[in-house]
Amino acid sequence: MIDGQPLACFQPFIDTATGRIAGVEALGRLRQADGRLQSVGPLFADPRTPGVTLRRLDRQIRDNALSRLHEAPEDWFLSLNISPRWINRLRPGQALPSLKQIHHHGVDPQRIVFEITELGGDIRRLADVVARYREAGARIAIDDFGAGYSQLDRVLALQPDILKLDMRLFQEAARGGPSSEVVRALAQMAEKTGCWIIAEGVETQDQLAFLQGLGCHLYQGYLHSRPLPMIGFRERLLAGDGRG
């Protein structure tokens, strides 16, 4: 059983050049009876949660996120997490549920980034679905880049538009030492392939300075904002917050 009302909260992507919001990532939450918001992460990590329940919850959150995008400035993009395990369950040639949701809400696919999460999955099926997303006009991101060698296989097969650095690797690299050279090499590789680099988990000014030295275009993290309902960003804009 799902305890609470499923909804999307949003964490912003900040342009390192301007300090302004360029887009947001939809993150699943459950609103409790007392108003508290709880992450859906533990449900997806719990092997006891039925797959059909997770698929329904995933689509409810995505649907809620798309329904709120009209409240954001038109130049913001929306990043939606897509799990390879759902893609593996699709029948050959089946209409993609996420694209149907985008069209239902009248959202321009060019404002959408599909963020491939988790390792695993059939790379050929994944590449086919990514090609269909691209044909519709959406962009592709790979999450947790640098977390494992298998991610390099994905870069070669999927040719993503965006690479999101693994948060733990980035935070360790920002402290100096061998990890910093690994991250610099990954950033240089991404630049040569035409990918944008995004750092997540940015919590301090020192981390921000490090990622700016890497040439990262965007970042996420508590240094700027925790995930908020879309109304929270509207209030910032109305208050004249220049970062929004």
Side-chain angles (χ1 to χ4, degrees):
M1 290 290 294
I2 299 298
D3 182 18
Q5 175 192 359
L7 77 157
C9 282
F10 303 88
Q11 185 165 39
F13 295 94
I14 310 304
D15 188 314
T16 55
T18 66
R20 300 181 67 84
I21 297 175
V24 289
E25 177 182 2
L27 299 171
R29 298 291 185 265
L30 293 172
R31 188 189 300 279
Q32 305 301 302
D34 60 5
R36 289 182 299 112
L37 297 177
Q38 292 185 344
S39 171
V40 300
L43 285 173
F44 282 87
D46 188 342
R48 296 171 298 178
T49 310
V52 64
T53 300
L54 293 179
R55 288 196 302 277
R56 185 183 304 115
L57 177 60
D58 187 55
R59 290 178 184 174
Q60 285 177 312
I61 292 167
R62 192 177 304 130
D63 198 63
N64 182 254
L66 288 165
S67 74
R68 307 305 297 268
L69 187 58
H70 72 278
E71 302 173 27
E74 293 184 359
D75 59 345
W76 288 14
F77 67 86
L78 172 64
S79 180
L80 299 172
N81 293 320
I82 298 292
S83 171
R85 56 178 145 170
W86 305 152
I87 290 175
N88 285 346
R89 292 177 176 271
L90 295 173
R91 300 184 303 275
Q94 178 182 346
L96 300 180
S98 48
L99 290 182
K100 291 172 67 176
Q101 287 178 297
I102 288 171
H103 295 146
H104 173 75
H105 288 285
V107 172
D108 182 351
Q110 294 186 27
R111 296 184 69 185
I112 299 299
V113 172
F114 284 112
E115 188 173 323
I116 308 300
T117 63
E118 307 168 7
L119 297 174
D122 186 319
I123 193 65
R124 289 174 297 181
R125 297 190 69 179
L126 193 55
D128 175 67
V129 169
V130 161
R132 293 166 69 184
Y133 286 152
R134 276 218 174 87
E135 185 179 356
R139 288 178 288 171
I140 304 300
I142 290 180
D143 195 18
D144 293 334
F145 180 61
Y149 175 77
S150 58
Q151 291 286 42
L152 296 178
D153 292 342
R154 290 189 171 206
V155 172
L156 294 173
L158 305 181
Q159 299 182 7
D161 306 284
I162 297 169
L163 294 172
K164 294 183 71 175
L165 288 173
D166 177 65
M167 182 172 68
R168 289 180 293 273
L169 177 62
F170 166 74
Q171 290 179 340
E172 182 179 344
R175 290 192 289 268
S179 295
S180 63
E181 296 306 316
V182 172
V183 168
R184 290 183 197 280
L186 292 175
Q188 290 172 2
M189 185 202 76
E191 183 179 8
K192 289 178 180 178
T193 60
C195 290
W196 280 25
I197 283 282
I198 293 178
E200 52 184 339
V202 179
E203 299 174 353
T204 69
Q205 289 293 339
D206 286 344
Q207 291 172 346
L208 176 59
F210 176 73
L211 73 89
Q212 288 173 326
L214 294 176
C216 289
H217 294 83
L218 303 170
Y219 74 90
Q220 288 176 287
Y222 289 176
L223 179 63
H224 183 278
S225 175
R226 293 176 179 270
L228 297 171
M230 189 62 77
I231 190 172
F233 295 109
R234 293 210 317 271
E235 290 170 349
R236 282 190 175 189
L237 292 173
L238 291 173
D241 185 340
R243 297 179 302 174

